[in-house]
Amino acid sequence: MAADRADVVLIGVPKKIIVDGLAARFNLHVIPHDANAETLIAKVAPAIRGAAVTGAPYAMKGDMMARFPRLELVSSFGVGYDNIDVKYAAGHGITVTHTPDVLNEEVADTTIGLLLCTIREFPQADRFIRAGRWPKEGQYPLSAATLRDRTIGIVGLGRIGKAIARRLEGFGVPIAYHSRNPQPGVAYRYYPKLVDMARDVDTLIVITPGGAATRHLINTEVLTALGPRGIVINMARGSVIDDNALIKALKDRTIHSAGLDVFVNEPEVPKGYLEMDHIVLLPHLGSASVYTRQKMEQLVVDNLLVWADGKPPLTPVPETPWPPQKQA
Ligand code: 8YV
């Protein structure tokens, strides 16, 4: 059914491309982040047929979806959608879309940047100059780690994992991967068990979806297997790492270092990480360029526009295939 001028809510940060793109076609209701939110939701809820969610920490859980009885489509910003209750959506005939592919290369670029910064200590060296230490202390110490003698294990060889692996091929380092199933047509060594891969490599790049299935995948057992040369790069979700285990391993130096782009309670970062100078922390920058974010925003809009034309949404998540099927 075509949905011209359908009522659509926007939950999250009112990003310009999304607001302009949706307001041109729908009755758009931007939910404010103040005491007026409840009043507006209560007023518009019966008419709402579409929603745009502009990324974590904003979410669309089942209790929120339940407030919109005519809801058909949730267009979510970001490739990860652990902030959206897709199980509830699947059970209620609601399609969820996300923004895959348009960010693959950017996130892969950021991963390589974070990897090199972590291995070669570039942020620490920058701080060394700014603190006026170079003239006093002489050359910044040689980095204990190098990419030259490393073996990389990628945790999650999806679209972004493959883009990272392609780049690493250019660096001439051996690559292995762990995921639930082996990937067809991939020559890298596959490990069905993460702990076995951790034992054989010294660098883990984590780029697997978040959510319950991967919670605390990187735990004490995996970090112990990784060993004292170990480096963990997390580009996935904070939930994938057991922070207590990682902080302890880093403090005790039972692994070498870590580069973290994501955290469980963003923008809060555990104090244990902030206190350590030998790791690298980024404020969730994976896809964060104007160029890539514009493409992601446009895809949020386009999914709603094609749905409004009665056509299949462009990028539904696998849990809610199109056309939607209401459970009996
Ligand atoms: C976004 C991301 O920064 O796409 C994702 O899953 O983690 C990032 O690209 C995030 O969605 C913004 O909330």
Side-chain angles (χ1 to χ4, degrees), residues 176-178 189-201 204 221-222 225-226:
Y177 74 103
H178 161 76
R189 178 162 180 195
Y190 171 65
Y191 286 85
K193 283 186 72 186
L194 173 56
V195 71
D196 291 339
M197 181 169 84
R199 206 169 287 121
D200 286 358
V201 305
L204 291 178
E221 191 192 8
V222 168
L226 196 60

Side-chain angles (χ1 to χ4, degrees), residues 15 54-58 76-83 98-100 103 107 160 235-237 261-262 266 283-288 292-293 296:
K15 299 170 193 268
T54 68
Y58 300 99
S76 177
F77 177 90
V79 64
Y81 47 92
D82 46 327
N83 54 333
H98 63 149
T99 62
L103 79 181
V107 178
I160 302 174
M235 297 299 296
R237 286 289 181 265
D261 184 48
V262 284
E266 294 172 15
H284 201 148
L285 294 187
S287 64
T292 293
R293 286 295 172 83
M296 293 165 68

Side-chain angles (χ1 to χ4, degrees), residues 201-263:
V201 305
D202 46 38
T203 309
L204 291 178
I205 295 181
V206 185
I207 185 69
T208 187
T214 57
R215 187 171 178 275
H216 289 189
L217 199 62
I218 307 298
N219 54 21
T220 301
E221 191 192 8
V222 168
L223 295 169
T224 306
L226 196 60
R229 284 167 46 84
I231 287 183
V232 176
I233 303 295
N234 188 13
M235 297 299 296
R237 286 289 181 265
S239 58
V240 183
I241 288 194
D242 177 345
D243 285 324
N244 290 336
L246 181 57
I247 290 168
K248 184 165 172 22
L250 287 165
K251 279 205 169 127
D252 297 350
R253 305 281 174 146
T254 57
I255 71 164
H256 180 72
S257 186
L260 307 174
D261 184 48
V262 284
F263 303 89

